[in-house]
Amino acid sequence: LRIVVLPFENLGSPEEAYFAAGMSEEITSRLANVRNLAVTSRTTATQYDRKGKTVEQIGKDLRVGYVLEGSVRWDRSGGGPGRVRITPQLIRVVDDTHLWSERYDRMLPDIFAIQGDVADGVVRALNLALAPAESTALRQLPTHDLQAYDLYLRALELEKRSEEPSAFAQQIKLAGEAVDRDPQFAEALALLARARLMNYWLYYDRRESELESARVEAERAVAL
């Protein structure tokens, strides 16, 4: 089975687009742990221009049998961390049928549980049997620090937007702050290493110390 998770639509303010983008990418990562499910890479999914295209055309272009799309709204009007509403829907390409949809309306601290619920809903709708390790991976917490996670999502969004020196500098800053808050945050470590390596590769910062830092961070991420 082949599936693509298209970028979720941001129904909140433009400043929160990074959060909606992060939700679809996190769900992609969770589904990628299912051995009987081939998941289109996040790079292909985010760069694909779906404007004006039918589900049938999307399936043909990306060679997938299923499409997961949805919307995200982060409501912070009441103060505090706010509430998050995520509405995913799974569509079968061959007959444009909605196999599953749901609406999750919870407090922000429940965001990882929501991501796990969405991934689990997709797996159940596709009637896929999971090994114990796969079930665990669907529910894995990347970090217990919500502020570190927010910093990580902001850095992740910058990775897609620009290859300007200032973007890499900001990405390294944000990912570094996320790692400072949670040294066990493997995804943030990997992102920090990638940012340093690209910064080096594009000749923006050719210090050997940066290359060594990237190596250490990448090895820590793999170990975690």
Side-chain angles (χ1 to χ4, degrees), residues 4 28 39-46:
V4 61
T28 297
V39 185
T40 301
S41 72
R42 70 176 183 87
T43 301
T44 297
T46 54

Side-chain angles (χ1 to χ4, degrees), residues 16-122:
E16 291 160 4
Y18 76 95
F19 185 79
M23 292 307 96
S24 54
E25 295 190 14
E26 289 294 301
I27 292 166
T28 297
S29 296
R30 291 174 188 266
L31 291 175
N33 288 293
V34 180
R35 68 186 184 284
N36 291 325
L37 191 60
V39 185
T40 301
S41 72
R42 70 176 183 87
T43 301
T44 297
T46 54
Q47 292 180 352
Y48 177 70
D49 183 9
R50 62 172 297 187
K51 186 176 181 180
K53 295 181 180 178
T54 64
V55 169
E56 180 182 8
Q57 186 61 52
I58 293 172
K60 182 178 179 180
D61 290 347
L62 300 179
R63 295 181 295 172
V64 296
Y66 300 89
V67 173
L68 181 68
E69 60 182 11
S71 62
V72 177
R73 181 185 295 277
W74 183 7
D75 182 6
R76 292 185 284 183
S77 59
R83 299 187 67 87
V84 176
R85 176 179 295 171
I86 297 181
T87 309
Q89 50 186 5
L90 178 65
I91 305 169
R92 184 167 56 204
V93 171
V94 67
D95 55 5
D96 198 9
T97 299
H98 283 70
L99 293 184
W100 169 80
S101 64
E102 189 58 82
R103 188 177 80 169
Y104 302 94
D105 191 348
R106 302 181 191 170
M107 298 300 293
L108 181 62
D110 293 328
I111 190 61
F112 301 127
I114 297 175
Q115 292 168 1
D117 286 345
V118 173
D120 185 67
V122 170

